[in-house]
């Protein structure tokens, strides 16, 4: 029988690997030197014949999705990828600085890695950070953030809460569409997944 | 199956599906009772496993005995002992075989008919399948014909390099696995390119001699073997042989399997000497077939995987 050998080894010297038997969605593997996550795993086997695993994998650096076929039983190197919660501290123009709340360990993340996500990051907010070989690979903002309106044109006179919208700039630099009654200095709840206004925040 | 995911303790299958399964098993037993085919039971844990290159056995840790991947060897010993026509519905085990249509523990129906050849047994398989899935015409294609119909070269005459080149032309075959031997390449092309082209119900006959397993070679064309398979809606349902009865030829095949396993640094199970001794004492001329019950029931339920037909599949067992 095929003996499972996967998982990370505690001594950190031997290269951890997975056999195709352990393939499942979400498993992080190394292909051609890049970290990938398994999106789909299909087991193909004629009863008396060679077994295969046809997998769909997503490159964690580029987001590109590709297909690969393995002979079942083959081993693939594990990618040292982990998802962790970190608190956003500040950015100095070049780097975004994050901290692990439990250990106070800090990570400086190049602005290029943070990319467009930066416009949702408010100091002290907790984000989901994917680490590859201990270095941040990507940053996910919280699903909802509360941000102050720093600039928006005054609403038209007599306007009520119904209909119409206007652009508003938030404290992080993000620009979103808001209802006409929203004023500068107000706190708004924003959905970072859609980039849309949700409601006024309580305080 | 639609609907919310079931909690972990609960069967993935609907209760109505399990009742349907019970009714089908009763109908299958009645099918064999009518034909005076005797039900037998053989050990699930036995001293010998199989040497098949592509079947990895599971072993019981305490005794080192093998969970049987099929009841074939034990049933052939019963045939050699004079039992006559017989069938068995049993659990079979194959390490690592898990997917939409695979479960490492599954239910096999296996039966043997004295004096039958492949055609006679195929006719009986068709009758049994009609009992469960209803009557529908069944096409028959030889393995080579099925490749031709899928636009692939002749698997019996084409070189490895030419078959690789042809494989690269088919979208369905991409991405091609690396480092395949010829039979492995045929397996991949058959699964990915040929099977999706098959009619709703189709027998495949005359497998290449390299995939004979325990079938005898065709006397009129020894490049092929008297092995057949049944596919229903693209799912492999049954595998049958006009059985090889010559123990020396079988020992040769077992040894070849063992050396190929050794070459690829995989476990090399011992040859089942009790099977070979039984064959030496005289295995009557017969044909035999194994049919995947979980898959048949799942197709009867119009399901898209065997989980719908099993009480507790691997992840819930």
């Amino acid at each position: 029988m095929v003996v499972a050998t996967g998982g990370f080894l505690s001594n950190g010297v031997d290269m951890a690997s997975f056999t195709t038997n352990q393939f499942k969605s979400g498993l992080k593997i190394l292909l051609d030197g890049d970290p990938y996550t398994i999106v789909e795993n299909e087991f193909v086997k004629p009863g008396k014949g060679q077994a295969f695993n046809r997998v769909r994998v997503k490159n964690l650096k580029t987001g590109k999705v590709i297909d690969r076929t393995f002979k079942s039983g083959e081993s693939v190197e594990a990618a040292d990828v982990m998802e962790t919660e970190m608190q956003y501290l500040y950015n100095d123009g070049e780097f975004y600085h994050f901290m692990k709340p439990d250990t106070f360990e800090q990570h400086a993340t190049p602005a290029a890695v943070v990319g467009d996500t930066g416009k949702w990051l408010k100091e002290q907010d907790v984000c989901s950070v994917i680490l590859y070989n201990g270095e941040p690979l990507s940053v996910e903002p919280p699903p909802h953030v509360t941000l102050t309106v720093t600039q928006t044109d005054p609403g038209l006179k007599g306007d009520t809460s119904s209909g119409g919208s206007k652009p508003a700039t938030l404290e992080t630099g993000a620009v979103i569409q808001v209802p006409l009654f929203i004023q500068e200095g107000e706190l708004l709840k924003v959905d970072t997944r859609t980039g849309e206004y949700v409601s006024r925040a309580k305080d | 199956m639609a609907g919310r995911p079931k909690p972990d303790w609960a069967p993935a299958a609907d209760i109505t599906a399990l009742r349907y399964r019970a009714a089908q098993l009763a109908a299958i037993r009645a099918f064999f009772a009518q034909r005076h085919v005797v039900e037998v039971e053989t050990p699930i844990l036995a001293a010998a496993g199989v040497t098949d290159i592509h079947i990895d056995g599971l072993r019981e840790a305490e005794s080192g005995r093998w969970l049987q991947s099929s009841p074939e060897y034990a049933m052939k010993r019963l045939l050699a002992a004079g039992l006559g026509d017989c069938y068995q519905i049993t659990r079979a085990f194959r390490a690592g075989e898990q997917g939409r249509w695979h479960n490492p523990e599954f239910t096999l129906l296996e039966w043997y008919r004295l004096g039958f050849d492949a055609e006679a047994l195929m006719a009986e398989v068709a009758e049994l399948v009609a009992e469960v899935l209803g009557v529908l015409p069944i096409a028959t294609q030889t393995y080579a014909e099925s490749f031709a119909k899928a636009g692939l070269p002749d698997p019996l005459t084409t070189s490895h390099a030419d078959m690789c080149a042809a494989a690269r032309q088919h979208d369905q075959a991409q991405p091609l696995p690396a480092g395949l031997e010829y039979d492995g390449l045929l397996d991949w092309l058959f699964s990915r390119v040929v099977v999706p082209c098959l009619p709703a119900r189709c027998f495949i006959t005359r497998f290449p001699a390299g995939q004979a397993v325990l079938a005898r070679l065709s006397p009129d064309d020894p490049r092929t073997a008297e092995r057949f398979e049944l596919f229903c809606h693209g799912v492999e349902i049954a595998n049958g042989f006009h059985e090889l009865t010559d123990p020396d030829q079988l020992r040769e095949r077992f040894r070849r399997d063992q050396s190929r396993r050794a070459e690829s640094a995989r476990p090399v199970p011992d040859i089942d000497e009790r099977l070979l001794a039984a064959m030496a004492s005289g295995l009557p001329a017969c044909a035999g077939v194994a049919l995947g019950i979980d898959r048949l029931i799942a197709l009867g339920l119009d399901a898209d995987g065997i989980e719908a037909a099993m009480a507790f599949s691997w992840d819930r067992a």
Side-chain angles (χ1 to χ4, degrees):
Chain A
M1 93 167 262
V2 180
V3 177
T5 57
F8 292 102
L9 304 178
S10 53
N11 61 18
V13 175
D14 292 308
M15 201 60 82
S17 65
F18 297 111
T19 71
T20 56
N21 283 345
Q22 296 166 287
F23 280 9
K24 59 178 180 191
S25 309
L27 194 74
K28 308 293 190 291
I29 58 175
L30 206 56
L31 295 175
D32 309 323
D34 272 358
Y36 283 82
T37 183
I38 294 180
V39 180
E40 247 178 75
N41 172 39
E42 184 187 1
F43 182 71
V44 178
K45 185 182 191 299
K48 302 287 184 187
Q50 169 78 53
F52 304 93
N53 287 72
R54 190 173 187 279
V55 296
R56 180 154 289 174
V57 290
K58 186 169 112 180
N59 186 317
L60 289 171
K61 282 185 176 168
T62 64
K64 199 177 164 210
V65 174
I66 59 167
D67 293 328
R68 274 291 176 93
T69 310
F70 297 92
K71 287 192 281 181
S72 298
E74 283 182 328
S75 293
V76 183
E77 241 177 80
D80 180 7
V81 170
M82 57 184 256
E83 197 171 334
T84 179
E85 302 264 277
M86 286 207 218
Q87 194 175 44
Y88 169 58
L89 300 177
Y90 64 96
N91 88 74
D92 58 19
E94 202 177 344
F95 290 96
Y96 282 69
H97 297 267
F98 294 89
M99 182 183 73
K100 287 178 93 165
D102 48 348
T103 61
F104 307 111
E105 181 190 329
Q106 290 195 17
H107 285 269
T109 306
V113 168
V114 177
D116 204 33
T117 297
K119 71 180 181 190
W120 303 120
L121 297 183
K122 184 174 151 186
E123 290 165 15
Q124 314 300 321
D125 275 357
V126 174
C127 307
S128 165
V129 178
I130 291 176
L131 296 176
Y132 170 49
N133 293 335
E135 296 298 321
L137 191 65
S138 70
V139 177
E140 287 255 334
H144 293 102
V145 290
T146 301
L147 299 171
T148 307
V149 178
T150 52
Q151 193 281 319
T152 189
D153 292 337
L156 297 169
K157 195 181 173 206
D159 217 353
T160 63
S161 59
S162 65
S165 68
K166 60 178 181 177
T169 306
L170 307 177
E171 59 182 304
T172 54
V175 178
I176 63 167
Q177 288 295 314
V178 298
L180 298 176
F181 59 82
I182 296 296
Q183 319 243 330
E184 280 182 14
E186 284 195 273
L187 272 175
L188 305 185
K189 189 174 172 190
V190 182
D191 188 326
T192 60
R193 295 159 299 188
T194 59
E196 284 171 7
Y197 164 89
V198 177
S199 64
R200 281 170 162 155
K202 290 274 184 316
D203 52 282
Chain B
M1 308 283 284
R4 281 179 301 149
K6 308 249 171 78
D8 181 64
W9 62 264
D14 289 334
I15 292 302
T16 52
L18 298 177
R19 292 186 189 281
Y20 169 83
R21 179 184 175 113
Q24 297 308 321
L25 286 174
I28 288 167
R29 287 195 159 93
F31 178 93
F32 289 111
Q34 271 171 17
R35 287 164 174 76
H36 306 289
V37 179
V38 175
E39 178 164 11
V40 297
E41 292 177 283
T42 55
I44 281 179
L45 272 182
V50 297
T51 56
D52 287 49
I53 304 160
H54 298 304
I55 296 177
D56 287 316
L58 286 163
R59 298 183 87 160
E60 193 275 313
E62 194 68 24
S63 64
R65 288 188 166 225
W66 296 86
L67 284 158
Q68 297 295 282
S69 58
S70 137
E72 178 165 11
Y73 298 180
M75 289 179 79
K76 284 180 174 169
R77 286 162 60 190
L78 292 177
L79 293 171
L83 184 78
D85 294 334
C86 56
Y87 80 97
Q88 176 161 202
I89 297 173
T90 188
R91 292 307 175 85
F93 300 83
R94 296 180 188 180
E97 299 196 6
Q98 194 186 2
R100 210 144 57 86
W101 293 103
H102 292 83
N103 199 63
E105 175 180 355
F106 61 104
T107 301
L108 263 188
L109 161 63
E110 177 131 348
W111 79 96
Y112 290 87
R113 295 293 242 142
L114 300 196
F116 275 38
D117 59 10
E119 281 68 33
L121 189 56
M122 282 158 60
E124 193 164 69
V125 169
E127 283 180 57
L128 182 122
V129 167
E131 293 255 329
V132 178
L133 300 183
V135 179
L136 199 73
I138 306 191
T140 299
Q141 297 175 12
T142 67
Y143 191 88
E145 283 167 355
S146 74
F147 268 61
K149 283 179 196 290
L152 288 165
D154 185 348
L156 301 176
T157 57
T158 305
S159 72
H160 193 172
D162 288 350
M163 193 58 87
C164 277
R168 283 189 208 101
Q169 305 299 313
H170 281 265
D171 287 348
Q172 281 290 92
Q174 310 311 316
L176 269 185
L180 284 182
E181 293 173 19
Y182 193 67
D183 278 324
L185 180 61
L186 293 187
D187 284 335
W188 176 247
L189 290 172
F190 187 73
S191 300
R192 296 292 306 179
V193 183
V194 175
V195 170
C197 296
L198 296 180
R201 281 187 211 171
C202 187
F203 280 114
I204 298 294
T205 60
R206 290 181 173 262
F207 276 71
Q211 301 177 36
V213 201
L214 274 72
R216 58 177 221 166
L217 298 183
S218 313
D220 60 343
D221 183 0
R223 295 175 309 168
T224 66
E226 296 195 347
R227 173 183 164 197
F228 67 86
E229 288 209 331
L230 173 63
F231 288 82
C232 295
H233 301 284
V235 181
E236 182 187 351
I237 290 293
N239 176 73
F241 305 137
H242 188 183
E243 302 290 348
L244 177 68
T245 53
D246 177 351
D248 299 328
Q249 274 192 52
L250 188 56
R251 184 181 293 280
E252 269 314 299
R253 292 186 193 177
F254 282 167
R255 284 195 176 136
R256 201 170 53 220
D257 286 350
Q258 284 183 317
S259 53
R260 285 186 60 190
R261 279 186 156 270
E263 280 162 24
S264 50
R266 296 171 58 210
V268 182
D270 292 336
I271 289 173
D272 187 343
E273 291 295 342
R274 287 180 175 133
L275 168 66
L276 291 176
M279 287 174 69
S281 89
L283 177 65
C286 63
V289 62
L291 184 149
I293 288 291
D294 311 290
R295 290 182 182 175
L296 183 68
I297 304 288
L299 290 183
L301 290 163
D302 272 330
D304 63 358
I306 53 173
E307 196 182 56
M310 311 180 82
F312 299 109
S313 55
W314 193 250
D315 288 333
R316 290 169 187 264

